[in-house]
Amino acid sequence: MRIAVLGAGSLGTIAGAYIAAGGQDIELIDVYQAHVDALNETGAKITGTTDFHAEVKAITPENMSGVYDLVLLLTKQLYNHSILQDLLPFLNDQSTVLSLQNGIPEEQVASIVGRERVVAGSVEFGATFIKPGVSELTTEFNRFKEYAFQIGELTGEVTERIEQIKKILDLVGGTHISTNLVGTKWSKLLINNAFSGLSASLNTEFGGVLDHEISIESAVHIADETIKVAHANGVEFADMGGFDIASLEVKSGKDIPERIQTLRDIMKSSRLLKASMLQDLEKNRKTEIDYINGVIPRLALEKGIPTPYNDLVVSLVKQAEETKELPIFDSNIKFFEVLNN
């Protein structure tokens, strides 16, 4: 099987390193020439909660050739149309594109590459790009090896194809096959909304969100808004690691202290994670905020559901994009304090 990691950033470098070390024929594809050069010259170095090194083959997109049997799609959704159009010549009828992007991009991906080629997935580990050739794993290593991905067919079937992909991803870490793909992606979106959104809008790691009383309560409200909007649109959330994520819904104010403790418990292994959107802001790049927290206000509009917390996250991140100034925690937390009160 010929495999490509399309978008070999922090997550893609880790996935590609472990798959390459497992003896697979894999290419790491990225537009960052210095990163590609470092990967080819010194290999992929994984730091953080592990210390791992693997020899890999890396190329820039213009050097793609032949046909890929499996493509791990890890680019930003912002660029999906052009990236996927450019990918089409390197796919055949049996090729599979595994979407591992944030949010719920599968329908857009399918509209370009063909629905029969698409398998969807969710990355369950965190990473930070350190420098060319080096990626930091920020999820506890034991959890990473136990639970790194969720994948599933769009139909919910457990096929021979999905089993083959699982074997590949198991070289990286534990891989769970989901029969409720939509629910799986929404469950991941909820965590991204609550923690990646706050990480980006407050300029802090997930641990900073967990430790501050105002931000963790805001995370509860962001999760609650996401659940209410999803349910209104017919979504049934999938469990995450055996946890019923829909149980985070707030029925009354009395639920909030318990929801805060639950979030602190289930997210403690991700304390070191810094949102990729915050990493984008640090590099003066446009973020995926419209495809993360921005999904909720769009889908809530026709249902008449208020989403003030997600609205605020979107507003603060877009402000940082426009001003090219990083958010200041002590300044922005005050806006969430107003909502909490």
Side-chain angles (χ1 to χ4, degrees):
M1 178 180 288
R2 189 162 184 254
I3 307 168
V5 175
L6 188 52
S10 58
L11 299 172
T13 298
I14 292 173
Y18 280 98
I19 293 172
Q24 298 295 314
D25 180 7
I26 184 168
E27 291 181 343
L28 280 65
I29 306 170
D30 201 83
V31 296
Y32 187 11
Q33 185 68 59
H35 182 46
V36 168
D37 291 343
L39 290 171
N40 286 323
E41 291 167 8
T42 59
K45 173 71 173 174
I46 315 303
T47 64
T49 60
T50 188
D51 184 7
F52 182 75
H53 177 268
E55 298 298 322
V56 297
K57 178 182 179 182
I59 61 171
T60 51
E62 61 268 24
N63 290 314
M64 293 165 61
S65 62
V67 171
Y68 296 106
D69 301 298
L70 174 63
V71 177
L72 310 187
L73 183 64
L74 279 160
T75 50
K76 303 288 187 185
Q77 281 196 63
L78 294 164
Y79 314 112
N80 269 5
H81 184 78
S82 60
I83 284 172
L84 293 172
Q85 288 287 349
D86 291 343
L87 177 64
L88 287 174
F90 307 101
L91 305 176
N92 63 22
D93 291 344
Q94 286 73 48
S95 297
T96 298
V97 177
L98 172 61
S99 170
L100 292 170
Q101 296 173 315
N102 289 327
I104 43 176
E106 283 69 34
E107 292 304 322
Q108 182 196 25
V109 175
S111 71
I112 299 172
V113 305
R115 193 173 185 84
E116 70 285 348
R117 285 184 172 135
V118 177
V119 167
S122 173
V123 179
E124 305 298 333
F125 64 92
T128 301
F129 186 84
I130 300 300
K131 64 180 182 179
V134 182
S135 186
E136 178 187 9
L137 178 65
T138 54
T139 298
E140 290 180 4
F141 186 70
N142 288 342
R143 177 169 173 78
F144 166 69
K145 296 308 289 183
E146 177 186 354
Y147 190 64
F149 302 98
Q150 288 198 67
I151 58 173
E153 295 280 4
L154 298 183
T155 61
E157 298 174 89
V158 178
T159 62
E160 181 179 348
R161 171 171 73 169
I162 206 74
E163 295 281 8
Q164 289 177 337
I165 294 172
K166 180 184 186 305
K167 289 179 181 177
I168 297 295
L169 295 183
D170 280 344
L171 295 170
V172 182
T175 305
H176 171 70
I177 295 175
S178 171
T179 56
N180 176 13
L181 199 287
V182 172
T184 298
K185 296 293 283 189
W186 269 91
S187 294
K188 179 65 182 296
L189 180 66
L190 182 148
I191 296 299
N192 269 329
N193 284 350
F195 286 90
S196 294
L198 285 170
S199 172
S201 61
L202 294 173
N203 189 10
T204 187
E205 296 175 339
F206 284 18
V209 176
L210 290 168
D211 292 343
H212 197 286
E213 293 304 318
I214 294 172
S215 56
I216 188 59
E217 182 176 340
S218 299
V220 168
H221 288 293
I222 290 170
D224 179 60
E225 290 177 4
T226 302
I227 292 167
K228 286 179 166 58
V229 169
H231 284 167
N233 284 274
V235 173
E236 179 182 347
F237 284 91
D239 289 357
M240 292 188 70
F243 174 69
D244 176 13
I245 205 158
S247 68
L248 290 169
E249 186 174 8
V250 175
K251 304 292 179 63
S252 75
K254 295 178 181 179
D255 295 335
I256 292 176
E258 182 182 341
R259 302 296 183 266
I260 287 173
Q261 188 56 51
T262 299
L263 281 181
R264 281 177 167 156
D265 289 342
I266 66 174
M267 295 301 294
K268 61 184 178 182
S269 65
S270 300
R271 292 185 56 82
L272 298 178
L273 184 57
K274 179 194 290 188
S276 61
M277 291 191 292
L278 178 53
Q279 295 177 54
D280 287 334
L281 291 178
E282 290 173 341
K283 298 167 186 169
N284 289 327
R285 294 176 181 169
K286 189 171 176 60
T287 73
E288 289 187 290
I289 191 65
D290 286 332
Y291 304 97
I292 309 299
N293 296 81
V295 170
I296 305 308
R298 287 200 302 274
L299 292 179
L301 190 60
E302 64 183 48
K303 304 295 182 181
I305 300 172
T307 58
Y309 285 85
N310 280 285
D311 292 343
L312 178 55
V313 168
V314 172
S315 175
L316 292 174
V317 173
K318 284 184 173 290
Q319 179 183 343
E321 287 180 346
E322 292 168 5
T323 63
K324 299 191 182 303
E325 295 180 359
L326 286 174
I328 299 172
F329 187 99
D330 288 341
S331 297
N332 285 356
I333 196 67
K334 295 176 183 177
F335 297 113
F336 291 98
E337 184 176 17
V338 171
L339 288 180
N340 287 353
N341 293 329

